[in-house]
Amino acid sequence: MKNTKKAKYSIMIVTIISCIIMAFIEIVIEPSYVIKSAAKAVIFLLLPVISMKLLNMEVFGHSFLLNKKTIMKLLLLGFLIYIVIIVAYFLTRNIFDYPSLVNSLSTDQKVNSGSFIWVALYISFCNSFLEEFMFRFFSFIKLSDYTTRSVTYILSAVLFAVYHIAMIGTAFPLPLLILALIGLSIGGIIFDYVDEKNKNIYNSWIIHMFADFAIMTIWYIHI
């Protein structure tokens, strides 16, 4: 029981502290994108791995096994997610001021047409993996071994949403910010759900990755 409590609270504390540190780096320090990306790799990947090692947990194992049949299913799922988001964009482009939003986001993230392609590739592939490793593998799958299902869902989804809102808060108007918070929380719950059965992050990572592909497409249209 003592070891269970230690593992549970260690995962919770490391996740919360990691989000606070990363938010501080992005919002207050505002380093270059390269430095910020490197910092995120250390905080969202290396720190959880070290924590799991210190707690004598299996770090990778069966959670990262994958076969060709599964890959095809995941790619189909990702493609459908991409289509849904792009269709939603075209249906709502007369409702939301996407050009102003993209301009604000580009300024906030220090992204221009010259650096966009590299930023888009990083966000879609690397950033999505780092976030899924932290919020789904570490604070959901691993945490689920030591606490209740409801706690893991709430912690993972809420921190996922709040972390992103902290990143984009100055770029979004309040109504859209509230909508984003709700959407991200629901998205976090869905990500947790699709990973729960197989105890790996491939489902949520593919969804996250293709959602980012769609967002980068919309961003590119207006940049």
Side-chain angles (χ1 to χ4, degrees), residues 19-88:
C19 291
I20 293 172
I21 293 174
M22 198 60 225
F24 179 81
I25 290 172
E26 294 209 37
I27 299 170
V28 179
I29 299 177
E30 295 185 322
S32 66
Y33 215 92
V34 173
I35 294 175
K36 181 168 62 176
S37 302
K40 192 164 189 173
V42 171
I43 295 167
F44 274 24
L45 180 62
L46 188 58
L47 189 56
V49 168
I50 292 173
S51 300
M52 287 185 279
K53 285 289 188 181
L54 292 175
L55 292 166
N56 296 316
M57 297 178 185
E58 182 183 49
V59 178
F60 296 105
H62 72 279
S63 292
F64 288 86
L65 296 176
L66 193 61
N67 56 56
K68 291 181 180 180
K69 187 177 180 180
T70 302
I71 292 174
M72 294 307 296
K73 289 181 178 179
L74 289 173
L75 291 176
L76 177 59
L77 173 64
F79 180 72
L80 290 174
I81 293 296
Y82 179 88
I83 294 300
V84 167
I85 294 175
I86 293 300
V87 169

Side-chain angles (χ1 to χ4, degrees), residues 6-192:
K6 179 182 177 181
K8 178 176 72 173
Y9 290 117
S10 294
I11 292 173
M12 290 179 173
I13 291 170
V14 169
T15 303
I16 293 171
I17 290 176
S18 296
C19 291
I20 293 172
I21 293 174
M22 198 60 225
F24 179 81
I25 290 172
E26 294 209 37
I27 299 170
V28 179
I29 299 177
E30 295 185 322
S32 66
Y33 215 92
V34 173
I35 294 175
K36 181 168 62 176
S37 302
K40 192 164 189 173
V42 171
I43 295 167
F44 274 24
L45 180 62
L46 188 58
L47 189 56
V49 168
I50 292 173
S51 300
M52 287 185 279
K53 285 289 188 181
L54 292 175
L55 292 166
N56 296 316
M57 297 178 185
E58 182 183 49
V59 178
F60 296 105
H62 72 279
S63 292
F64 288 86
L65 296 176
L66 193 61
N67 56 56
K68 291 181 180 180
K69 187 177 180 180
T70 302
I71 292 174
M72 294 307 296
K73 289 181 178 179
L74 289 173
L75 291 176
L76 177 59
L77 173 64
F79 180 72
L80 290 174
I81 293 296
Y82 179 88
I83 294 300
V84 167
I85 294 175
I86 293 300
V87 169
Y89 159 70
F90 280 107
L91 291 175
T92 61
R93 60 180 176 171
N94 293 323
I95 299 175
F96 296 113
D97 186 3
Y98 286 103
S100 296
L101 179 59
V102 167
N103 181 63
S104 179
L105 193 58
S106 297
T107 301
D108 185 62
Q109 295 296 315
K110 299 181 176 65
V111 176
N112 55 46
S113 57
S115 62
F116 174 79
I117 183 63
W118 303 110
V119 172
L121 289 172
Y122 166 76
I123 289 175
S124 299
F125 290 101
C126 302
N127 185 71
S128 60
F129 174 77
L130 293 174
E131 291 185 0
E132 290 310 303
F133 190 89
M134 168 60 78
F135 293 110
R136 243 58 63 188
F137 183 66
F138 185 60
S139 63
F140 180 72
I141 293 173
K142 284 299 182 181
L143 183 60
S144 66
D145 292 333
Y146 305 99
T147 189
T148 63
R149 187 168 179 256
S150 58
V151 168
T152 55
Y153 265 95
I154 292 171
L155 182 78
S156 176
V158 169
L159 286 180
F160 176 72
V162 172
Y163 168 74
H164 281 84
I165 291 302
M167 299 304 99
I168 63 177
T170 57
F172 279 43
L174 183 58
L176 200 55
L177 195 66
I178 294 173
L179 184 62
L181 179 61
I182 295 171
L184 284 164
S185 297
I186 294 172
I189 291 172
I190 293 172
F191 285 175
D192 290 339

